[in-house]
Amino acid sequence: MLLVDWVAITAVCVGIAGVSGDKIIDGTEAKAHSRPYMAYLEIHINNKIYCYGGTLIHPEFILSAAHCQGESIMALLGAHDLSKRNRSWQVIPVMDILPHENYNNATQANDIMLLKLKRTARITNEVQTISIAKSNEVFKIDTLCSVAGWGTTVTKGPISHVLREVDGKIQANCPSDSQICARGPGSKGTCNGDSGSPLICSDSKNSPRAVGLVSYRDRKTCEDVHRRNVYTKVSAYQDWIENKIKSLSSD
């Protein structure tokens, strides 16, 4: 299905209840097309539509969270305001849905997924790839990073039509070495609908890197100031990502 009516579609998008899934809380609207690697994902499961985020890391591949998998997925690249059709939009069906083989739905371990696009994305000013963090890169505690998404801005609210962003710092004591915890002060962080969106940090050369993927929170509400926003640590899966792309790309 082509995304013919984004106003209607964004109105009916639902988030998965419970700890899985996150949205931007207490953030601000991003500058239009300032994050050209962002992908808006429309996930179809049992005749329902779920809306999540992803990261364009290769002209043929989007990186997202494994719990965002569905029966079919449509990707929208080059978007900012979902209610206003724009020439920059590229609507591309996902051909192959590739969750990590050891993804655990109960614990959210290995919550990472690659999506192979049916056709190669056109690289433009509004649609660009971003590099992933490498296994030998270290992002220390208190490193300032940011996350963006079209998720809701209150726990049970509708998703945002415009891309929103919020800063946060990497925290200590995350559940495992293959995960990163990060959030801002107070309630600043992610919530339902932002799942799969990237945590972006600057490397030693001040270049942006996709360091994490929104995975889950450990409290019921997104506004809980004691919650942890947990991200899949991308660098822990560098080999898995590169091997999948190498075996499946048309290059």
Side-chain angles (χ1 to χ4, degrees), residues 19-22 65-67 102-112 133 137-141 169-183 199 201 211-218 228-238:
V19 296
S20 295
D22 278 299
H67 78 262
N102 296 320
Y103 167 61
N104 186 313
N105 184 56
T107 65
Q108 298 304 313
N110 304 304
D111 190 12
I112 190 169
E137 288 184 288
V138 177
F139 294 87
K140 298 180 179 180
I141 305 303
K169 291 184 178 181
I170 294 179
Q171 298 176 309
N173 303 318
C174 214
S176 80
D177 291 339
S178 59
Q179 294 171 319
I180 291 176
C181 290
R183 53 166 297 185
L199 178 70
C201 310
V211 172
L213 303 171
V214 177
S215 182
Y216 70 95
R217 65 181 181 275
D218 62 357
R228 287 192 296 186
N229 287 150
V230 183
Y231 298 77
T232 303
K233 187 178 181 179
V234 173
S235 62
Y237 300 92
Q238 180 189 351

Side-chain angles (χ1 to χ4, degrees), residues 2-106:
L2 290 179
L3 304 186
V4 294
D5 190 347
W6 280 91
V7 175
I9 287 173
T10 56
V12 299
C13 280
V14 293
I16 294 177
V19 296
S20 295
D22 278 299
K23 67 198 172 197
I24 299 301
I25 294 291
D26 199 16
T28 59
E29 180 177 346
K31 181 181 178 181
H33 308 300
S34 60
R35 297 174 182 261
Y37 48 79
M38 288 294 301
Y40 176 84
L41 303 178
E42 181 188 276
I43 317 292
H44 293 253
I45 307 173
N46 296 327
N47 296 317
K48 291 184 179 180
I49 299 172
Y50 298 83
C51 302
Y52 292 127
T55 315
L56 189 68
I57 61 170
H58 181 283
E60 295 179 70
F61 291 91
I62 290 171
L63 193 62
S64 190
H67 78 262
C68 299
Q69 60 189 287
E71 296 159 4
S72 64
I73 301 177
M74 191 73 72
L76 172 61
L77 305 173
H80 174 69
D81 187 337
L82 302 176
S83 68
K84 297 179 180 179
R85 190 177 295 273
N86 193 291
R87 291 182 180 180
S88 64
W89 287 13
Q90 296 183 41
V91 181
I92 307 177
V94 170
M95 182 169 66
D96 294 317
I97 300 171
L98 307 162
H100 194 281
E101 295 80 1
N102 296 320
Y103 167 61
N104 186 313
N105 184 56

